[in-house]
């Protein structure tokens, strides 16, 4: 359940204070850092529960762990701060689900940890990433802990928006909204981090719509850029039901292969590590007594694979939204701010062929598709339905 945050180098142009541990991992959020620094140093400004919101890739989790480090460690104790940032400090409890939703079991375990007094640090901090992945029953598990927290426990929840949480949760937390960086800011960061060509970094930041993690992947993976371009062009060529079925299958297949590539190596290393821990040599038969542990690991990996596939298809939907948003902008003579500039000619032709209501119908159907997928609709069927709307201009 406890996870370590990913490392993020500070922007070279950041203020000196922001480059220090633990805030050096945070990029582009000077106002948020200043507010949390003040709260960590002054109990009068410290709330018992916080909600950090911002678009995907804005650094919510990175900021949450930096805040946790500042709360737990004594001022100037960089060793303790680095322990928190690495996810190994005993006074940090963290939850990041790798399934589609956060389970009640995991939420209850986190609540139980919240009632322990800090063992070494000034505070016990509970970080819940992906708090938007709680269903209502799971959210209700947190309510009592948020209503009556122990004196030296601080909760830090992360979500894209406060609207993603129940009103009963929102009323018990202090919300901190992160700013969305500019495309040029993200491009400069990607160039600094990866050495990518500035033109490629700018294109990646724009196509990722300022999502830092996705921009970095696009900038460093030419195949990922090519898959994105191929998918959008394939959707632009959809003209009927047959095309819709074919393209939907190709999108799901590509997302499945992408998800496998992202998880396969990790799955194998986790399996090998578990077998080593159990004292089972590589290639040996697994004794019946420990098969349950191996089966539990495989179940966790299957849930992670399901989420990875859903996330991959969601990225496709986000890319399609950007394409039809560009189409709508062209229909209203606002073509100076396109996300998909590489498709300007094709989108200009589409804007002329369609009217604005049809484009809005497609955009609405993308939202419906996303909702259907969250409700466990079959990905291929959900995408087929969407692409039939693209082809016909009518909802099924």
């Amino acid at each position: 359940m406890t996870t370590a945050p990913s490392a993020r180098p500070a922007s070279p142009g950041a203020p000196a204070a922001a480059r220090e541990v633990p805030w050096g991992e945070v990029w582009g959020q000077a106002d948020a850092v200043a507010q949390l620094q003040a709260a960590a140093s002054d109990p009068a400004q410290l709330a018992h529960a916080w909600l950090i919101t911002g678009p995907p890739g804005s650094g919510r989790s990175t900021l949450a762990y930096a805040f946790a480090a500042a709360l737990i460690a004594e001022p100037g104790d960089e060793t303790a701060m680095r322990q928190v940032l690495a996810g190994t400090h005993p006074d940090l409890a963290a939850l990041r689900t790798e399934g589609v939703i956060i389970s009640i079991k995991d939420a209850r375990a986190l609540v139980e940890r919240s009632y322990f007094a800090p063992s070494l640090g000034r505070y016990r901090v509970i970080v819940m990433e992906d708090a938007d992945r709680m269903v209502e029953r799971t959210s209700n598990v947190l309510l009592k802990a948020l209503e009556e927290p122990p004196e030296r426990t601080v909760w830090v929840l992360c979500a894209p928006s406060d609207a993603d949480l129940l009103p009963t949760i929102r009323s018990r937390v202090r919300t901190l909204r992160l700013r969305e960086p500019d495309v040029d800011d993200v491009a400069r960061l990607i160039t600094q981090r990866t050495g990518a060509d500035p033109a490629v970094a700018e294109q990646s930041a724009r196509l990722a719509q300022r999502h830092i993690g996705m921009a970095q992947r696009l900038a460093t993976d030419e195949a990922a850029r090519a898959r994105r371009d191929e998918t959008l062009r394939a959707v632009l060529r959809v003209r009927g039901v047959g095309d819709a079925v074919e393209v939907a299958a190709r999108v799901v297949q590509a997302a499945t292969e992408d998800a496998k590539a992202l998880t396969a190596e990790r799955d194998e290393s986790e399996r090998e590590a578990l077998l080593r821990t159990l004292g089972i040599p590589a290639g040996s038969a697994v004794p019946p007594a420990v098969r349950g542990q191996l089966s539990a690991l495989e179940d966790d990996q299957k849930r992670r694979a399901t989420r990875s596939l859903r996330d991959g298809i969601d990225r496709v939907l986000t890319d399609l939204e950007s394409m039809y948003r560009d189409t709508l902008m062209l229909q209203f003579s606002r073509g100076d701010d396109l996300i998909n500039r590489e498709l300007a000619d094709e989108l200009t032709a589409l804007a002329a062929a369609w009217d604005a209501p049809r484009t809005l119908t497609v955009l609405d159907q993308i939202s419906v598709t996303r909702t259907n997928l969250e409700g466990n609709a079959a990905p291929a069927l959900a995408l087929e339905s969407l692409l039939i709307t693209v082809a016909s201009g009518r909802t099924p």
Side-chain angles (χ1 to χ4, degrees), residues 149-161:
E151 183 179 353
R152 295 171 64 197
T153 292
V154 177
W155 284 83
V156 185
L157 312 182
C158 303
S161 165

Side-chain angles (χ1 to χ4, degrees), residues 92-107:
L92 171 72
L95 174 63
R96 178 187 182 190
T97 180
E98 293 189 322
V100 176
I101 62 171
I102 293 175
S103 70
I104 289 182
K105 177 183 176 182
D106 286 344

Side-chain angles (χ1 to χ4, degrees), residues 84-338:
V84 177
L85 293 175
T88 59
H89 196 285
D91 292 327
L92 171 72
L95 174 63
R96 178 187 182 190
T97 180
E98 293 189 322
V100 176
I101 62 171
I102 293 175
S103 70
I104 289 182
K105 177 183 176 182
D106 286 344
R108 284 176 176 157
L110 209 61
V111 168
E112 289 175 5
R113 292 282 298 274
S114 74
Y115 288 104
F116 296 164
S119 57
L120 297 175
R122 299 187 301 147
Y123 294 91
R124 176 170 295 278
V125 180
I126 314 295
V127 175
M128 178 179 279
E129 301 184 46
D130 306 312
D132 54 304
R133 291 183 182 267
M134 291 188 293
V135 296
E136 184 173 354
R137 290 185 304 159
T138 308
S139 296
N140 289 333
V141 170
L142 295 185
L143 284 180
K144 184 173 176 58
L146 294 179
E147 288 172 342
E148 302 174 7
E151 183 179 353
R152 295 171 64 197
T153 292
V154 177
W155 284 83
V156 185
L157 312 182
C158 303
S161 165
D162 54 1
D164 294 317
L165 277 70
L166 293 179
T168 48
I169 297 288
R170 298 200 300 266
S171 66
R172 291 164 174 80
V173 300
R174 180 182 297 177
T175 300
L176 181 64
R177 294 178 177 84
L178 302 188
R179 66 176 288 271
E180 191 169 3
D182 296 330
V183 168
D184 290 343
D185 291 337
V186 175
R188 280 194 295 271
L189 178 67
I190 298 305
T191 298
Q192 291 161 5
R193 284 186 179 180
T194 68
D197 179 86
V200 173
E202 185 280 332
Q203 179 194 37
S204 300
R206 174 168 39 82
L207 297 182
Q209 298 177 68
R210 298 167 287 189
H211 185 300
I212 296 171
M214 185 51 58
Q216 184 163 317
R217 185 182 182 200
L218 289 174
T220 57
D221 188 343
E222 185 176 355
R225 297 198 302 275
R227 280 195 300 272
R228 181 188 187 279
D229 183 72
E230 180 183 348
T231 297
L232 296 190
R233 292 182 185 277
V235 171
L236 286 172
R237 292 192 294 269
V238 169
R239 295 292 182 270
V241 173
D243 293 339
V245 172
E246 179 186 352
V247 172
R250 285 164 51 189
V251 169
V252 173
Q253 180 64 28
T256 301
E257 292 173 356
D258 206 27
K260 287 181 179 178
L262 289 172
T263 60
E265 184 176 345
R266 181 178 173 185
D267 288 352
E268 184 59 30
S269 65
E270 287 176 345
R271 189 178 192 279
E272 291 175 357
L274 176 60
L275 292 177
R276 282 197 304 272
T277 301
L278 297 172
I280 301 171
S284 300
V286 179
V290 299
R291 286 175 186 166
Q293 295 180 56
L294 193 61
S295 178
L297 173 64
E298 291 170 350
D299 288 343
D300 287 342
Q301 291 174 341
K302 287 176 183 177
R303 284 191 288 270
R304 183 169 65 207
T306 298
R307 172 175 170 174
S308 184
L309 174 59
R310 295 279 178 83
D311 288 348
I313 293 175
D314 188 73
R315 284 194 294 272
V316 172
L317 295 178
T318 299
D319 292 336
L320 292 177
E321 278 181 329
S322 75
M323 184 170 73
Y324 292 111
R325 171 263 187 199
D326 286 348
T327 303
L328 196 63
M329 295 290 283
L330 288 166
Q331 288 169 333
F332 286 96
S333 302
R334 296 290 302 277
D336 55 340
D337 188 30
L338 298 184

Side-chain angles (χ1 to χ4, degrees), residues 328 331-332 351 354-365 389 393-395:
L328 196 63
Q331 288 169 333
F332 286 96
W354 287 8
D355 56 17
R358 177 168 177 174
T359 308
L360 289 169
T361 297
V362 171
L363 286 167
D364 288 342
Q365 193 61 25
T389 296
R394 298 185 299 273
T395 56

Side-chain angles (χ1 to χ4, degrees), residues 60-71:
R60 301 183 304 256
S61 300
T62 302
L63 184 60
Y65 287 107
F67 185 35
L71 286 170

